[in-house]
């Protein structure tokens, strides 16, 4: 009798590059979609790739040119010394993963492991291999070499260090020729018309606002015209395969926004998109504002995904009970919603993420970010199931044994860790970001009142909402948590991860990335304002140990009430004091210890995903009739293809 063939074991981790690793992302269930859904997804993926270089340019005005130089060299390596070509390959891989030459966690620039002279020689050799391109590439290198090789030139992509000028000392491409004082004076005069989607530049004694739009329908072209025209072309193709009228309207409204750049068009798109619950869905636009020190300019990002119906139970139950959790929030009634619009909540499998969304991926998303739309129309929350699965399948062994305080914590983490992680992410997105209302006296969005601090505070607020509700009896009633051990596992992991995240900061003494700052803020506040967490030392190792879970929840509630008040009232002084006191500076001795302990375990600091690839199947007349999915397992191949498609 023939034995059944076993399914080949999936490959997740692909390679290590410095402190990063690449992992293949799988999208199970894509082949079961209808042909219409697959073709819609295909064109949306093309749109995502077409706009990807916008996010790279937003990181730094030299970034796209640097990437093209490196890609030219690694595509023409003949005659280049192995040591130098390996250094350039590793540099551009980190560049691709981070969408620029700034580390995702530290916000600080990384430089090639080869010298400027060695890079120039490699470029000259590559140009000899393809002499038709030699002139432009060599001239480009003269323009960008300082940005590539001088670690002290434009060193931090987003600098929010107290005492620094957030605008002039940030290397991103949202502002040019300006400092904070001059920009604030210009903005205060009512001159900024497109705070979300523009670059503000000073030249010839004048300040100009360059709108990100491709033009059309009576609107003049603006910045990123080439890329946005390509995005729009693919959106036009996708529109014909939309699942329903509402989704087609969403695509049409998004096209209108990319052409006009008008904020009212963006708002109309979001209001329509938030009401659409199509099986295949997307995120596309200028969205997250973490890179802007003011918290205003949206970086380009895109994600295309489909609902995992079997896994969606968790999100839907939380969404349906959103009013219950809002009523039980620890902040004052003045800031509680009385007519919560239940968010669209799904567990999804990602097909592609570009720009600010990938290759480094979040595990949960809640949009839109605009507070007024959230309060009136609701929001969408998604948990990225295949991203979470890929993280878990590729995570190194031994982390729990090394950093858990005792065997009881290890057992709890192994038994309940996956459930508590999913629950925390779901509550962060569904209940956290979608909760609360601003003061009636606050005119405008809270982000306008909390420059430099809003993103950290909002992420802290969402985390705190999840931690506050971790032991709520409603979770058992909804059959989402059958034991308080799940809440304990959530608290354990949150505290432990604040210690572990220090491995992302190999030098310096402060945090820059908003999510890292928010987590440290929460744990440091609890440590310094309660007796709930004990820092213990054993055999030369430090452990963070929760000794009183109810006491920690009380401290979480106090902090959450204050963070909600700060957001609702736009209290910049209180927000600044809170973040600077608890979230900014790190204990460098602990960092050095963590670095030493994780080194033994061969643990990477962060992950970049290689996305699934879609290939259209066409009939004799050239019409797409089906779409096949495959898994490249090769970051370089995929990124070079993305670059060629974005040109």
């Amino acid at each position: 009798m023939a034995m059944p063939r076993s399914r080949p074991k999936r490959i997740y981790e692909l390679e290590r590059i410095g402190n990063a690793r690449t992992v293949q992302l799988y999208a199970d269930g894509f082949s079961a979609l209808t042909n219409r859904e697959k073709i819609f997804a295909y064109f949306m993926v093309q749109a995502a790739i077409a706009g990807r270089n916008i996010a790279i340019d937003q990181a730094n005005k030299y970034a796209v040119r640097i990437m093209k130089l490196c890609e030219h060299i690694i595509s023409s390596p003949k005659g280049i010394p192995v040591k130098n070509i390996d250094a350039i390959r590793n540099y551009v891989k980190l560049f691709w993963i981070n969408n620029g030459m700034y580390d995702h966690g530290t916000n600080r620039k990384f430089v090639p492991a080869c010298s400027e002279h060695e890079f120039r020689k490699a470029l000259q050799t590559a140009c000899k291999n393809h002499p038709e391109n030699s002139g432009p590439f060599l001239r480009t290198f003269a323009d960008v070499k300082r940005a590539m090789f001088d670690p002290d030139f434009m060193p931090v992509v987003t600098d929010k260090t107290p005492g620094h000028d957030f605008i002039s000392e940030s290397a991103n491409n949202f502002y040019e020729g300006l400092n904070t004082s001059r920009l604030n004076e210009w903005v205060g005069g009512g001159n900024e018309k497109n705070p979300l989607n523009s670059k503000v530049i000073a030249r010839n004694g004048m300040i100009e606002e360059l709108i990100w739009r491709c033009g059309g329908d009576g609107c003049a072209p603006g910045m990123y015209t080439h890329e946005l025209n390509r995005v729009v072309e693919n959106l036009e193709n996708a529109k014909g395969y939309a699942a329903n009228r509402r989704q087609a309207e969403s695509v049409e409204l998004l096209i209108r926004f990319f052409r006009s750049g008008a904020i009212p068009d963006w708002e109309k798109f979001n209001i329509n998109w938030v009401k659409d619950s199509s099986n295949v869905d997307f995120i596309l636009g200028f969205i997250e504002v973490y890179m802007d020190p003011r918290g205003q300019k949206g970086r380009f990002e895109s994600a295309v995904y489909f609902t995992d119906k079997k896994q969606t139970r968790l999100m839907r139950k939380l969404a349906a009970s959103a009013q219950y959790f809002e009523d039980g929030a620890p902040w004052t009634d003045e800031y509680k919603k009385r007519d919560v619009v239940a968010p669209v909540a799904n567990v999804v499998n990602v097909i592609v993420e570009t720009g600010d969304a990938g290759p480094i991926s979040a595990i949960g998303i809640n949009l839109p970010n605009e507070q007024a739309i959230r309060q009136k129309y609701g929001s969408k929350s998604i948990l990225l199931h295949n991203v979470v699965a890929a993280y878990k399948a590729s995570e190194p062994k031994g982390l729990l044994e090394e950093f858990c305080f005792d065997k009881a914590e290890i057992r709890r983490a192994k038994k309940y860790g996956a459930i508590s992680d999913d629950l925390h992410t779901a509550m962060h997105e569904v209940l956290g970001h979608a909760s609360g209302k601003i003061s009636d006296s606050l005119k405008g969005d809270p982000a306008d009142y909390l420059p430099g601090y809003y993103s950290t505070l909002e992420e802290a607020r969402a985390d705190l909402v999840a931690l506050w509700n971790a032991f709520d009896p409603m979770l058992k009633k909804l059959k989402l948590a059958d034991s308080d051990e799940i809440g304990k596992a959530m608290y354990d992991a949150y505290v432990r991860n604040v210690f572990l995240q220090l491995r992302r900061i190999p030098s310096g003494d402060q945090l820059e990335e908003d999510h890292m700052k928010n987590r440290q803020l929460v744990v440091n506040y609890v440590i310094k304002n309660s007796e709930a967490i004990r820092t213990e030392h054993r055999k030369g190792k430090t452990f963070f140990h929760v000794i009183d879970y109810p006491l920690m929840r009380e401290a979480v509630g106090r902090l959450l009430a204050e963070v909600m008040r700060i957001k609702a009232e736009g209290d910049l002084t209180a927000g600044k004091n809170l973040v600077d006191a608890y979230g900014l500076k790190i204990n460098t001795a602990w960092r050095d210890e963590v670095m030493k302990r994780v080194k033994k375990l061969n643990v990477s600091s962060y992950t970049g995903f290689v996305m699934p690839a879609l290939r259209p199947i066409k009939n004799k007349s050239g019409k797409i009739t089906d779409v096949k999915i495959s898994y490249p397992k090769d970051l370089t191949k995929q990124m070079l293809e993305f670059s060629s498609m974005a040109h």
Side-chain angles (χ1 to χ4, degrees):
M1 174 190 269
M3 296 293 291
R5 292 183 179 179
S6 60
R7 183 178 178 179
K9 186 177 180 180
R10 276 186 166 170
I11 297 171
Y12 281 93
E13 183 166 323
L14 305 175
E15 62 179 327
R16 294 289 181 97
I17 313 104
N19 289 329
R21 64 176 182 159
T22 60
V23 169
Q24 178 63 56
L25 188 66
Y26 296 90
D28 294 330
F30 178 84
S31 298
L33 299 176
T34 67
N35 281 6
R36 185 182 186 89
E37 289 173 328
K38 286 189 279 188
I39 298 171
F40 178 79
Y42 169 76
F43 283 119
M44 294 306 299
V45 166
Q46 298 300 299
I49 297 168
R52 165 244 196 182
N53 282 4
I54 296 174
I56 295 171
D57 184 73
Q58 288 172 321
N60 185 272
K61 66 178 183 178
Y62 299 107
V64 172
R65 285 179 286 170
I66 289 172
M67 180 181 70
K68 289 180 179 179
L69 285 180
C70 294
E71 290 177 346
H72 180 61
I73 292 171
I74 68 169
S75 298
S76 310
K78 184 179 178 182
I80 301 172
V82 172
K83 178 176 72 75
N84 295 343
I85 196 67
D86 285 348
I88 296 167
R89 282 197 184 107
N90 286 340
Y91 174 77
V92 75
K93 286 175 184 177
L94 288 175
F95 188 110
W96 287 326
I97 291 170
N98 289 279
N99 281 304
M101 63 276 204
Y102 295 91
D103 182 90
H104 177 76
T106 67
N107 277 350
R108 296 191 171 274
K109 183 164 69 175
F110 51 86
V111 299
C114 62
S115 69
E116 179 184 325
H117 173 72
E118 288 168 332
F119 187 91
R120 184 187 294 108
K121 292 289 287 184
L123 179 61
Q124 289 170 342
T125 301
C127 287
K128 287 179 182 177
N129 293 337
H130 293 281
E132 67 277 7
N133 296 321
S134 59
F137 279 115
L138 292 171
R139 287 193 296 272
T140 294
F141 181 62
D143 293 337
V144 306
K145 62 183 180 181
R146 189 179 178 197
M148 280 191 73
F149 287 96
D150 184 350
D152 298 319
F153 177 67
M154 306 179 108
V156 181
V157 67
T158 305
D159 191 339
K160 300 186 203 175
T161 302
H164 287 199
D165 189 298
F166 290 177
I167 300 301
S168 64
E169 296 187 57
S170 292
N172 61 60
N173 198 22
F174 296 140
Y175 310 98
E176 189 170 341
L178 290 159
N179 58 27
T180 300
S181 176
R182 190 177 181 199
L183 177 66
N184 286 345
E185 182 181 355
W186 180 80
V187 171
N191 296 294
E192 189 176 40
K193 306 304 181 186
N194 289 65
L196 178 72
N197 60 314
S198 70
K199 176 179 178 177
V200 183
I201 182 170
R203 57 187 173 190
N204 301 322
M206 303 290 290
I207 296 179
E208 299 177 58
E209 187 178 18
L210 309 178
I211 312 301
W212 305 334
R213 65 186 181 199
C214 61
D217 298 331
C219 295
M223 197 172 174
Y224 302 131
T225 295
H226 171 73
E227 293 86 352
L228 291 175
N229 271 327
R230 293 288 308 280
V231 172
V232 165
E233 177 185 338
N234 284 290
L235 291 178
E236 292 281 13
N237 289 330
K239 186 173 64 173
Y241 295 92
N244 50 56
R245 182 177 177 182
R246 185 173 293 283
Q247 187 172 65
E249 288 174 352
S250 289
V251 175
E252 180 57 42
L253 288 167
L254 188 57
I255 291 170
R256 187 181 304 168
F257 166 68
F258 284 140
R259 285 176 173 159
S260 72
I263 296 300
D265 287 340
W266 175 245
E267 292 170 348
K268 289 174 185 176
F269 159 72
N270 276 290
I271 291 168
N272 196 78
W273 174 81
V274 108
K275 298 174 183 176
D276 178 32
S277 56
S278 298
N279 187 42
V280 176
D281 201 1
F282 63 93
I283 294 164
L284 182 61
F286 306 110
I287 298 171
E288 299 296 356
V289 297
Y290 302 115
M291 184 170 278
D292 178 13
R294 293 173 60 217
Q296 297 288 333
K297 307 297 180 190
R299 197 178 186 196
F300 178 87
E301 71 172 84
S302 183
V304 184
Y305 49 86
F306 58 93
T307 303
D308 188 322
K309 295 178 181 177
K310 291 182 180 178
Q311 300 291 334
T312 294
R313 165 180 161 270
L314 169 68
M315 302 286 275
R316 294 279 173 87
K317 286 189 174 183
L318 282 175
S321 301
Q323 187 69 65
Y324 165 85
F325 290 105
E326 181 81 15
D327 293 343
W331 55 77
T332 63
D333 289 350
E334 180 184 0
Y335 308 129
K336 290 180 181 178
K337 294 180 183 177
R338 295 305 176 197
D339 51 352
V340 172
V341 179
V344 175
N346 289 315
V347 177
V348 305
N349 287 322
V350 169
I351 304 168
V352 76
E353 293 177 291
T354 69
D356 205 44
I360 298 173
S361 176
I363 58 176
I365 299 170
N366 177 273
L367 291 172
N369 287 326
E370 288 74 12
Q371 183 67 24
I373 296 176
R374 285 182 192 274
Q375 285 190 192
K376 187 172 182 180
Y377 299 99
S379 61
K380 279 187 185 180
S381 293
I382 58 173
L383 177 63
L384 282 52
H385 177 256
N386 59 335
V387 171
V388 173
Y391 275 127
K392 291 186 183 302
S394 60
E395 67 185 12
K397 308 299 180 186
L399 271 178
L400 293 178
E401 288 76 8
E402 178 64 33
F403 289 96
C404 286
F405 174 73
D406 56 20
K407 291 182 179 179
E409 186 178 331
I410 294 172
R411 285 195 298 269
R412 188 157 49 235
K414 288 184 175 179
K415 184 173 182 179
Y416 297 108
I419 299 171
S420 68
D421 286 351
D422 286 350
L423 189 58
H424 180 275
T425 302
M427 291 194 295
H428 174 109
E429 302 297 347
V430 177
L431 306 179
H433 285 308
S435 65
K437 65 185 290 288
I438 63 173
S439 170
D440 293 337
S441 63
L442 195 71
K443 306 303 179 186
D445 196 283
D448 300 341
Y449 295 85
L450 299 165
Y453 292 89
Y454 177 79
S455 295
T456 298
L457 290 165
E458 177 58 16
E459 291 304 321
R461 197 180 69 87
D463 270 357
L464 287 161
V465 167
L467 294 170
W468 170 254
N469 290 309
F471 296 97
D472 194 292
M474 178 60 80
L475 298 180
K476 291 181 180 177
K477 186 176 179 181
L478 295 173
K479 297 182 179 180
L480 298 177
D482 59 5
S483 169
D484 284 346
E485 291 293 293
I486 294 173
K488 290 180 179 180
M490 188 187 299
Y491 277 33
D492 292 341
Y494 197 86
V495 172
R496 187 170 62 245
N497 287 336
V498 168
F499 189 48
L500 266 170
Q501 75 177 10
L502 294 176
R503 74 187 190 275
R504 295 290 312 276
I505 314 298
S507 62
D509 66 349
Q510 73 179 40
L511 300 175
E512 300 287 352
E513 201 275 331
D514 290 304
H515 297 80
M516 296 175 75
K517 282 197 287 190
N518 104 67
R519 289 189 286 265
Q520 179 169 284
L521 185 162
V522 171
V523 172
N524 276 353
Y525 178 92
V526 174
I527 289 173
K528 295 178 181 180
N529 292 277
S530 79
E531 300 295 326
I533 300 171
R534 184 176 294 160
T535 305
E536 305 208 16
H537 304 275
R538 189 170 64 236
K539 296 180 180 179
K541 296 180 179 181
T542 305
F543 296 89
F544 284 72
H545 179 41
V546 182
I547 60 173
D548 192 322
Y549 296 94
L551 199 60
M552 180 170 170
R553 185 173 185 268
E554 288 178 15
V556 162
R558 290 195 301 273
L559 179 58
L560 176 53
E562 174 62 2
V563 173
M564 182 67 241
R565 184 199 67 77
I566 289 169
K567 175 182 177 178
E569 298 176 6
D571 188 344
L572 178 59
T573 300
K576 179 181 185 301
N577 291 340
L578 199 60
V579 173
D580 290 354
Y582 297 110
L584 187 65
K585 294 295 182 179
I586 67 170
N587 184 317
T588 56
W590 286 348
R591 182 269 314 284
D592 295 343
E593 178 190 327
V594 170
M595 297 288 287
K596 183 178 179 180
R597 290 165 68 180
V598 299
K599 187 176 182 180
K600 297 185 303 182
L601 302 173
N602 193 28
V603 177
S604 61
S605 295
Y606 58 97
T607 298
F609 287 101
V610 175
M611 305 294 165
L614 300 185
R615 178 174 60 87
I617 306 300
K618 300 180 180 181
N619 61 20
K620 292 181 179 180
S621 63
K623 183 178 180 181
I624 299 176
T625 58
D626 197 3
V627 178
K628 299 298 183 183
I629 193 167
S630 61
Y631 302 101
K633 302 184 183 69
D634 187 328
L635 178 71
T636 298
K637 179 182 178 182
Q638 181 161 86
M639 291 295 105
L640 290 175
E641 287 179 354
F642 280 11
S643 290
S644 67
M645 293 163 67
H647 289 165

